Amino acid sequence: MTRPRTVADRLARLTPQQRAALQRRLRAGEEGPATEPVLTRRTGDRSVSPLGLDQERIWILDQLDPGRHTYNISTGLRFKGAFDEEAFREAVATLVGRHELLRSRIEVRDDLPVLRVSDEFETPVEFFDLRAEPDGVEETVRTLVRRPFDLAAGGLLRVVVVRVADDDHQVIETMHHSVTDQWSFVRLNRELLEHYTAAREGRRSRAPELAVQYGDFAVWQRRLFTGIRQKEQRDFWRTYLDGVPPHLPLPYDAPLQDSGHDGRHHYFRLDDELSAAFLAMCRTRRLTLSDALLAVYVSLLHEETGSRDIVVGLPSATRGRPETHDLIGFLLTNVPLRAELPADPTPAQILRVVRQASAAVADHREVPFSEIVDAASPERSLDRYPLLQTMHLVLDFDDTVVQVPDAEVHGIEVEDGVSPMDITVGWWRAGERLYGRFEYRTELFTAATVDRLVNRLLELVRVFVERPGEPLRTRAAAPAPAPAVTVAPPAAGPADPPPAELHRIREVWREVLVTEPGPDDNFFECGGTSLTAIRLSHALRRAGFAINARQVFRAPTMRGQLALVRPKQSDVPDGTPKAAGAVSPEQEDLLEGGLPHPELWAHSLVLTARRPMDPEWLRVVVKRVAAAHPGLGSTFRRTDSGWRSDATGSRLWSVEAPGTDPARVAAAHRAAFDLRDGPLFAASLIPGRPDRIVLTAHHLVVDGLSWQILVDDFDRTYRGTRPIAETSHPSVYAAAWRDHDVLGQREHWQGQLAGVVPLGCRTGRPDRIGGETTHRVRAAIPPGADAADRQAEALTAVARAARPWFGGGDVVLDLIGPGRELPLVDGWDPARAVGFYATAHPVRLALAEDPGHHLRQAGRALDAVPGGGNGYLALRWSADPAVRRTVAGWGRAELSFNYLGALLTSGPDADDGPLFTVAEQIGPSGNDDATRYHAVAVLFEYDGEGAVFTWKFNPDAVDGTAVRAVAATAAEEFTRLVRQRGSQPPSTAGMSLHEVNRMLAELTREKKSHSA
């Protein structure tokens, strides 16, 4: 029988902090308890109140960084089904009318901030209809949530409704952090949806009456933390934090000086089996989930820093009084939890330390953080948050599940692009599942470092479950090999789609591929390329499917695409027609590229006709196709204010003698081209068996996707179908880019090019276009390999092979992309646009640590490209000379990668097959003395038998032996990556925003089904 513990035994087991707290409590008892003020509604003038203590802290931080969106906080809801706009407007008005804080502004009186409440208020709901371009949702939302707030002007709640489809609406709510917190958003959405439901049902809202308003709480809180109670709390925190190290040496990739708060989210989900095991461990050891997960994070920090005295911030709601339960406002403080670890700690020991530390601060979790800072008196810095570098939080997903009539509603993640803390790790529990988010400052940490940290965090969860008595590794010691964590992927997709949906998507595929695909056929194995993937994505969106090109790669079958319910890549519709005449950044980059004869920079296709051509009808076809695409008739001239594009309609048509060499025809086309007066597009028929057609276009008016559009139009028009005419000239889109604000992308692109150096394979001799040679290497693709991430696989292979050219550092290369992202303008259809939209932009790949993560790092580097990459050249050719000079000083990548997709092959010989097949391509000539743009250019294509890497370089300027060796290595790396990826399940340590929101929808459905 266990002997009961004596009081002395219990006292002996107290930590020094607990003992000090007990002594202070006893002394307070001797002095008499401090009387707690009553929280009640104020009488008299209610239009003015002080700020809450924590609210005031955020206001101060905002004043130190005015005009920024650093302290914006956003959340979102998705309505799938009915959405009543009028009922929603009424609900928002009712919500704002009930909460004085939402009708307030912060004004300064006698040098002190106060809340000024207005009875006259308006919270307009902004509506954006993106049904025609659902791929633009993410970028639209990102732009809207980053609009700064003016605290002095009010309007501290913004509500935006984005209509993605007839039955699909996203509600985005953005507030300044000084007037909200995570818990307030939960309450806001519950109340908002209750008002919405009441409006739809024609009844009074059942939302409970508010006992107090936020101003009442602010007055009460300031009264509470005065006198004896203030002294007690400050004494505790001064003692508790005494001797804490001033700085935790997190694994920073950059110095802290002058760092901003741009941030990014790295989502992850724990394997379901491991989640269940970890939760069972918590129950068995009587641990709170918050303490257990915090112990895991403390372990990671110990391993990374070698420190045994670790402080982590915990957000704590200051809602201890029942009157505050339904308030919306900033009722939140940060609690510094201090974990003092023994030498060589085990998970079990760290759990014990964290549980003790949590108990030590249990009675001090509602102390305003400003009081803690004042007590501890840490060093103040504009570059660093006081006391805390990192935060940890655990929330319950069930709190976010709500229901409304006639619609499925669930919460969605909204990325605001900021990280106030260096690192914030958040976990959410949904039943027996655990998922989370690693938020970090992008100026301090690279994606590669974050990838490594998140993977180790998930590994440590398994270590806590399976090896709680095993000492942890630390950065200072040689790391012991740790078994890999196998993380199961989320459910692959729903059951068979409805036949009607399948029929609709099959019709879109048939239109794009001109084949008869099946529901499980791989788009890329049916002839799809990266260029046609873009066409497919836009065609799908026109048909009502919110799928973008990146998702076509990720889900290359009809069934897979039907499983996707929301967009991932993002475009922002501009919505305002622009004046014609502008040239795009891509066009200016070519025009200013140093070509001695820029008019010759043209490309030709030689088409083979499947049946004899009628020359007169073909002439009409050329006229109709050219008229449908006004950019083909463009001309270009330099003016005092820069380059200008004019629409002339000029083109060249001819019928050549039978048997004429197509190369001679193409050369004649180029010789006739004139930038100022035109033409820049030509077509000629060469009669014969078979008939051949030579199409030539200057690169200023055509790109790879444009050629596919033109060939398809020639086919359909010759058969008698008039081509769909573009309703705007490419210069309209160019003008939109000129007006589009891309200055916010400067830090991203500068980071991509930081420290870029010449390739290590250069010889130092001139690099002329005329000396260019081509080296092709085939790479095997294992049978049955998934083509979904082929671009990332090929890019990773090239980067890994080329690392020696970068001195073992980060690989920086230019990625050639199709462009056509944003901003979209009225009348401009990217799926029909013929012009020069392809863009080049730098990508930095920090291929460090475990090679097994390189593919994931490359995939995330592609996902992180803002706005499709067009912004880089928009900055380089900005109308602002100062911006141009700045960007020119960044240097340029000397290696390029161009993912072309499927190899060009002839179509089937069936009678209903395409009329024309591409028999030959003829590249530009006539600028042999010009300097090549990239020292080494890599093109990647593949077919059903394998892949082809084409390496272009000048052997006078580049070590040809080195290039051929790297090319061979890249082919081997590619095959290994494809084979390796096919043999391993995908990790969920790096979930995309799309995948997270899809998971939230699934979890909501599960929760509702269980509660039904």
Side-chain angles (χ1 to χ4, degrees):
M1 182 175 179
T2 302
R3 180 172 61 88
R5 292 175 181 165
T6 65
V7 173
D9 289 334
R10 294 175 180 175
L11 288 173
R13 295 174 64 85
L14 292 178
T15 65
Q17 292 87 355
Q18 290 171 321
R19 191 177 297 111
L22 177 61
Q23 290 172 351
R24 284 191 295 276
R25 188 175 297 177
L26 292 174
R27 285 198 303 271
E30 294 171 358
E31 299 171 0
T35 303
E36 181 173 314
V38 177
L39 176 54
T40 186
R41 291 180 67 87
R42 294 166 295 144
T43 58
D45 182 11
R46 297 183 53 82
S47 65
V48 178
S49 73
L51 274 64
L53 291 170
D54 292 294
Q55 182 185 44
E56 185 176 82
R57 171 171 55 87
I58 299 298
W59 177 83
I60 292 171
L61 293 172
D62 182 82
Q63 298 303 295
L64 295 174
D65 191 21
R68 299 289 299 274
H69 67 285
T70 304
Y71 298 100
N72 287 16
I73 180 171
S74 301
T75 191
L77 296 171
R78 188 153 199 168
F79 285 68
K80 291 286 290 180
F83 184 82
D84 188 327
E85 291 187 9
E86 288 306 313
F88 188 78
R89 290 182 191 273
E90 182 179 337
V92 172
T94 302
L95 175 80
V96 176
R98 276 171 45 90
H99 293 269
E100 291 179 356
L101 183 62
L102 301 182
R103 296 182 271 118
S104 299
R105 58 186 176 87
I106 299 178
E107 66 178 35
V108 177
R109 295 176 55 180
D110 299 327
D111 296 326
L112 293 176
V114 296
L115 282 172
R116 170 72 70 176
V117 181
S118 173
D119 289 331
E120 296 181 2
F121 65 92
E122 182 180 2
T123 300
V125 181
E126 298 178 83
F127 285 86
F128 290 83
D129 191 339
L130 298 187
R131 285 176 293 179
E133 192 55 45
D135 210 24
V137 173
E138 190 175 316
E139 183 64 26
T140 299
V141 170
R142 185 182 295 113
T143 300
L144 293 172
V145 302
R146 293 184 181 186
R147 291 177 294 178
F149 282 99
D150 182 353
L151 300 182
L156 304 182
L157 166 66
R158 295 180 183 142
V159 182
V160 172
V161 178
V162 179
R163 190 174 189 179
V164 183
D166 290 343
D167 61 347
D168 190 353
H169 294 73
Q170 288 190 18
V171 175
I172 309 299
E173 303 141 345
T174 304
M175 301 173 72
H176 195 272
H177 208 344
S178 62
V179 294
T180 194
D181 54 36
Q182 190 71 41
W183 286 267
S184 288
F185 265 133
V186 172
R187 286 156 176 78
L188 183 149
N189 280 327
R190 284 184 172 176
E191 182 177 328
L192 177 66
L193 293 174
E194 165 57 24
H195 299 326
Y196 173 78
T197 302
R200 293 211 57 201
E201 296 177 351
R203 58 171 176 81
R204 291 176 58 87
S205 172
R206 301 190 185 104
E209 290 297 321
L210 298 175
V212 295
Q213 291 284 345
Y214 187 82
D216 303 317
F217 165 79
V219 170
W220 172 84
Q221 186 188 43
R222 287 179 177 274
R223 289 176 180 170
L224 180 66
F225 290 102
T226 57
I228 293 176
R229 182 172 286 101
Q230 183 184 52
K231 182 179 182 302
E232 289 175 346
Q233 296 294 355
R234 289 192 175 187
D235 285 348
F236 169 83
W237 286 108
R238 187 178 296 112
T239 302
Y240 182 78
L241 295 172
D242 183 47
V244 70
H247 174 63
L248 190 63
L250 296 175
Y252 295 112
D253 295 308
L256 292 171
Q257 289 81 5
D258 300 320
S259 296
H261 288 277
D262 288 345
R264 190 165 293 156
H265 295 166
H266 182 116
Y267 301 98
F268 57 87
R269 173 175 165 181
L270 201 61
D271 169 68
D272 286 352
E273 182 179 346
L274 182 55
S275 294
F278 188 79
L279 292 168
M281 180 200 75
C282 293
R283 290 189 290 268
T284 300
R285 300 187 183 184
R286 297 184 178 180
L287 294 163
T288 67
L289 180 60
S290 178
D291 284 351
L293 288 173
L294 176 59
V296 175
Y297 184 48
V298 167
S299 300
L300 176 69
L301 295 175
H302 169 65
E303 287 189 341
E304 288 295 321
T305 66
S307 176
R308 289 165 46 201
D309 193 349
I310 296 172
V311 174
V312 179
L314 306 180
S316 179
T318 54
R319 297 177 182 268
R321 294 299 301 261
E323 295 88 348
T324 64
H325 181 75
D326 294 312
L327 279 184
I328 294 171
F330 190 63
L331 293 94
L332 187 73
T333 188
N334 294 333
V335 177
L337 189 141
R338 184 178 186 181
E340 298 179 85
L341 308 179
D344 301 318
T346 65
Q349 291 173 320
I350 295 178
L351 280 169
R352 187 158 50 249
V353 167
V354 168
R355 181 159 52 181
Q356 291 173 350
S358 182
V361 301
D363 293 336
H364 310 274
R365 286 180 176 262
E366 292 203 24
V367 178
F369 188 62
S370 57
E371 292 290 312
I372 300 174
V373 172
D374 288 343
S377 299
E379 179 183 353
R380 307 299 175 94
S381 170
L382 293 178
D383 298 325
R384 185 187 297 268
Y385 200 81
L387 282 177
L388 301 174
Q389 296 161 251
T390 182
M391 298 283 292
H392 188 269
L393 67 148
V394 179
L395 299 171
D396 196 328
F397 171 81
D398 293 347
D399 288 341
T400 66
V401 176
V402 291
Q403 299 188 45
V404 300
D406 304 324
E408 174 189 280
V409 180
H410 65 84
I412 56 175
E413 276 282 323
V414 178
E415 290 189 338
D416 48 29
V418 297
S419 179
M421 290 286 172
D422 295 354
I423 296 174
T424 299
V425 175
W427 291 86
W428 281 262
R429 173 180 177 171
E432 291 290 292
R433 294 180 181 174
L434 293 172
Y435 66 95
R437 181 179 74 200
F438 193 103
E439 179 183 287
Y440 63 100
R441 291 168 65 183
T442 52
E443 292 186 2
L444 300 180
F445 301 96
T446 64
T449 295
V450 171
D451 182 71
R452 178 178 62 79
L453 292 175
V454 173
N455 277 280
R456 180 55 183 167
L457 181 71
L458 300 185
E459 290 173 5
L460 283 169
V461 174
R462 188 175 294 279
V463 170
F464 268 64
V465 171
E466 298 179 352
R467 303 187 298 281
E470 177 182 297
L472 296 175
R473 69 190 192 189
T474 63
R475 187 176 62 179
V485 176
T486 301
V487 185
D496 285 345
E501 291 290 291
L502 195 56
H503 175 74
R504 286 175 57 214
I505 199 170
R506 190 197 300 266
E507 289 297 314
V508 178
W509 276 48
R510 183 186 296 118
E511 174 191 347
V512 173
L513 291 175
V514 199
T515 61
E516 195 64 38
D520 297 310
D521 287 344
N522 188 299
F523 176 77
F524 300 96
E525 294 173 0
C526 294
T529 67
S530 59
L531 298 177
T532 52
I534 294 176
R535 293 187 62 219
L536 177 68
S537 66
H538 286 290
L540 287 171
R541 291 198 296 275
R542 287 197 304 273
F545 299 98
I547 306 243
N548 64 23
R550 186 84 173 146
Q551 291 167 331
V552 171
F553 282 92
R554 293 279 174 85
T557 68
M558 294 182 198
R559 292 187 198 276
Q561 289 167 9
L562 285 172
L564 302 178
V565 294
R566 59 190 59 81
K568 177 173 179 290
Q569 270 301 58
S570 53
D571 315 307
V572 62
D574 183 87
T576 305
K578 300 295 189 301
V583 298
S584 71
E586 291 75 22
Q587 289 171 325
E588 188 166 3
D589 195 52
L590 191 156
L591 288 165
E592 297 290 347
L595 296 174
H597 302 288
E599 71 280 358
L600 299 180
W601 201 254
H603 188 270
S604 301
L605 293 187
V606 181
L607 307 182
T608 298
R610 293 194 177 278
R611 62 175 187 252
M613 295 285 100
D614 180 333
E616 184 57 30
W617 176 237
L618 186 59
R619 181 187 64 80
V620 174
V621 168
V622 171
K623 179 180 179 180
R624 289 182 177 179
V625 171
H629 302 288
L632 293 175
S634 298
T635 59
F636 300 84
R637 57 190 173 90
R638 189 193 292 274
T639 69
D640 293 340
S641 59
W643 285 96
R644 176 180 175 83
S645 171
D646 294 307
T648 67
S650 175
R651 62 182 177 277
L652 179 68
W653 160 254
S654 68
V655 178
E656 304 294 328
T660 302
D661 183 358
R664 290 183 57 190
V665 176
H669 287 171
R670 286 195 297 274
F673 282 180
D674 186 284
L675 290 182
R676 184 178 181 88
D677 299 319
L680 295 179
F681 173 68
S684 295
L685 171 64
I686 304 176
R689 295 184 178 180
D691 287 350
R692 290 176 294 178
I693 300 153
V694 181
L695 303 177
T696 304
H698 198 282
H699 206 348
L700 287 167
V701 301
V702 77
D703 58 15
L705 181 54
S706 299
W707 276 123
Q708 184 63 60
I709 295 170
L710 288 175
V711 172
D712 289 347
D713 277 2
F714 267 88
D715 189 303
R716 293 188 178 92
T717 306
Y718 196 91
R719 297 175 190 266
T721 302
R722 279 192 173 272
I724 300 173
E726 295 184 60
T727 58
S728 63
H729 192 272
S731 61
V732 175
Y733 182 79
W737 259 115
R738 293 301 188 182
D739 288 349
H740 188 60
D741 183 8
V742 294
L743 292 180
Q745 298 182 17
R746 281 185 297 186
E747 293 178 354
H748 172 85
W749 297 119
Q750 185 175 10
Q752 298 299 293
L753 288 170
V756 65
V757 296
L759 291 183
C761 60
R762 274 199 176 275
T763 64
R765 291 190 290 271
D767 193 357
R768 304 301 184 193
I769 290 177
E772 182 179 275
T773 190
T774 297
H775 176 67
R776 289 185 174 86
V777 181
R778 290 197 68 90
I781 297 179
D786 189 358
D789 277 334
R790 192 128 301 159
Q791 181 184 25
E793 291 162 349
L795 177 61
T796 303
V798 170
R800 285 173 60 161
R803 286 183 74 188
W805 294 345
F806 295 85
D810 293 354
V811 173
V812 181
L813 50 77
D814 269 353
L815 187 68
I816 313 299
R820 300 171 185 256
E821 292 293 334
L822 78 150
L824 301 182
V825 295
D826 288 343
W828 185 82
D829 181 358
R832 290 288 303 154
V834 170
F836 182 25
Y837 301 104
T839 189
H841 60 83
V843 172
R844 174 180 290 270
L845 300 174
L847 303 181
E849 302 298 333
D850 183 1
H853 297 322
H854 290 176
L855 180 59
R856 193 180 309 141
Q857 291 166 10
R860 273 205 297 278
L862 294 175
D863 289 342
V865 173
N870 297 72
Y872 169 68
L873 286 180
L875 283 172
R876 182 169 285 280
W877 298 107
S878 168
D880 185 341
V883 174
R884 287 198 188 199
R885 287 194 298 270
T886 298
V887 178
W890 294 347
R892 277 188 155 174
E894 295 196 339
L895 173 67
S896 69
F897 177 81
N898 191 350
Y899 178 81
L900 300 177
L903 282 164
L904 191 63
T905 57
S906 296
D909 291 328
D911 292 338
D912 60 351
L915 285 176
F916 308 107
T917 58
V918 180
E920 183 182 359
Q921 300 186 55
I922 302 173
S925 63
N927 284 279
D928 290 354
D929 291 335
T931 300
R932 300 179 69 254
Y933 201 86
H934 296 101
V936 178
V938 185
L939 291 78
F940 174 83
E941 304 168 280
Y942 67 91
D943 58 15
E945 298 178 357
V948 175
F949 288 87
T950 301
W951 297 70
K952 295 186 175 183
F953 60 97
N954 184 336
D956 289 335
V958 171
D959 183 347
T961 301
V963 174
R964 285 185 284 272
V966 167
T969 301
E972 295 170 359
E973 290 275 9
F974 172 76
T975 299
R976 189 182 62 79
L977 283 169
V978 175
R979 182 178 292 113
Q980 191 176 59
R981 186 170 182 82
S983 64
Q984 295 179 352
S987 169
T988 53
M991 302 172 70
S992 68
L993 180 63
H994 162 76
E995 292 166 334
V996 170
N997 285 332
R998 183 173 63 182
M999 178 188 69
L1000 295 179
E1002 294 171 354
L1003 292 174
T1004 301
R1005 295 187 194 106
E1006 291 179 10
K1007 179 64 179 177
K1008 290 180 179 178
S1009 66
H1010 292 159
S1011 61

